[in-house]
Amino acid sequence: MTNPQLIIFDCDGVLVDSEPLAALAYERVYERHGMSGVTGEVIGQCVGMKQADIIARIKELTGHQFPAQADGDIWAETKQLFSDRLSPTPGLVSFLQHLSARRCVASSSSLERIHHSLEVTGLAPYFGDAIFSSSMVKRGKPAPDIFLHAAGQMGTQPKDCVVIEDSAFGVEAATAAGMIAIGYIGGGHIFPGHGDKLLARGATAVCADWIEIGTRLRELGFRL
């Protein structure tokens, strides 16, 4: 990069180790509504999607049609699990404490969920109001809309942005936006071969910890 200006962080699975808890919430709520078989393996195929797209994908995979009037049950269960058990990804806090570069969050989750995740983990002060949700744009990941929106709101050209993503859909969205994508594989939901999947979707590198991500960012020209 000739003019690195902005680091865009995904939230779930990157800033917070939320994906195993989110999968458990879906499994519990679907079971409560009489629909079994929504396992972690099923939810694993939906990582990086917004809730409406996850529900549609679960229907494709299992045949279960979740009742629209019960959509709020998913967030209620997720919120309780997050309040009780959510934590930052390992080593992130130290990384952010030493990070001087401009940064923001761009996530497929709702604004309420992003803010709750950052508040209960103590990460909110590192991002302030620079938080963007797929609810702000027409199309969710793998479309590039959320990343283009975030860059525009931050006054930065896409080519000057680096995105830290854990999902194949997120990497695909970042590359479609004309940004550099670094794959993060340090979350509790990562399975063997996931890094290769991110590279295949366009990630320039995959990193298992925040020290390695810092090294990659310096190589790109960021002053951390």
Side-chain angles (χ1 to χ4, degrees):
M1 300 182 75
T2 57
N3 188 30
Q5 292 191 24
L6 180 68
I7 302 171
I8 302 177
F9 294 84
D10 178 40
C11 185
D12 296 294
V14 173
L15 296 177
V16 295
D17 203 3
S18 57
E19 295 296 0
L21 297 177
L24 177 59
Y26 275 94
E27 185 174 357
R28 285 181 176 180
V29 173
Y30 270 78
E31 184 73 35
R32 196 175 299 149
H33 285 275
M35 294 175 279
S36 60
V38 181
T39 62
E41 183 178 353
V42 171
I43 298 301
Q45 298 184 51
C46 308
V47 172
M49 294 179 171
K50 60 185 179 181
Q51 181 170 301
D53 293 338
I54 291 174
I55 290 172
R57 181 63 174 150
I58 290 173
K59 182 181 179 182
E60 291 176 4
L61 295 170
T62 67
H64 295 319
Q65 175 63 64
F66 193 76
Q69 67 273 18
D71 280 1
D73 293 358
I74 297 172
W75 168 233
E77 183 70 27
T78 305
K79 185 176 183 179
Q80 187 60 58
L81 285 169
F82 282 11
S83 297
D84 294 341
R85 296 160 58 177
L86 189 63
S87 62
T89 52
L92 173 68
V93 173
S94 178
F95 174 83
L96 291 176
Q97 286 173 340
H98 296 91
L99 182 65
S100 59
R102 295 177 65 236
R103 84 295 300 262
C104 68
V105 179
S107 169
S108 292
S109 294
S110 68
L111 278 173
E112 182 181 3
R113 173 167 158 166
I114 300 168
H115 282 290
H116 183 72
S117 296
L118 298 181
E119 288 290 344
V120 299
T121 56
L123 298 176
Y126 295 107
F127 296 97
D129 295 329
I131 296 172
F132 308 102
S133 164
S134 286
S135 63
M136 299 173 171
V137 297
K138 183 176 181 179
R139 300 176 299 171
K141 302 171 188 177
D145 301 28
I146 180 58
F147 292 132
L148 293 173
H149 176 73
Q153 291 296 305
M154 297 295 290
T156 308
Q157 293 297 314
K159 63 182 179 61
D160 298 325
C161 300
V162 171
V163 176
I164 314 296
E165 261 287 356
D166 68 306
S167 75
F169 287 127
V171 167
E172 190 175 336
T175 56
M179 302 176 182
I180 289 178
I182 296 176
Y184 175 69
I185 55 171
H189 63 297
I190 300 300
F191 54 84
H194 186 68
D196 291 335
K197 188 175 181 180
L198 299 184
L199 290 170
R201 295 294 181 95
T204 60
V206 292
C207 302
D209 59 60
W210 289 100
I211 294 175
E212 189 177 356
I213 285 181
T215 298
R216 292 289 183 178
L217 290 171
R218 291 185 189 94
E219 290 172 351
L220 290 169
F222 282 94
R223 295 181 180 179
L224 307 184

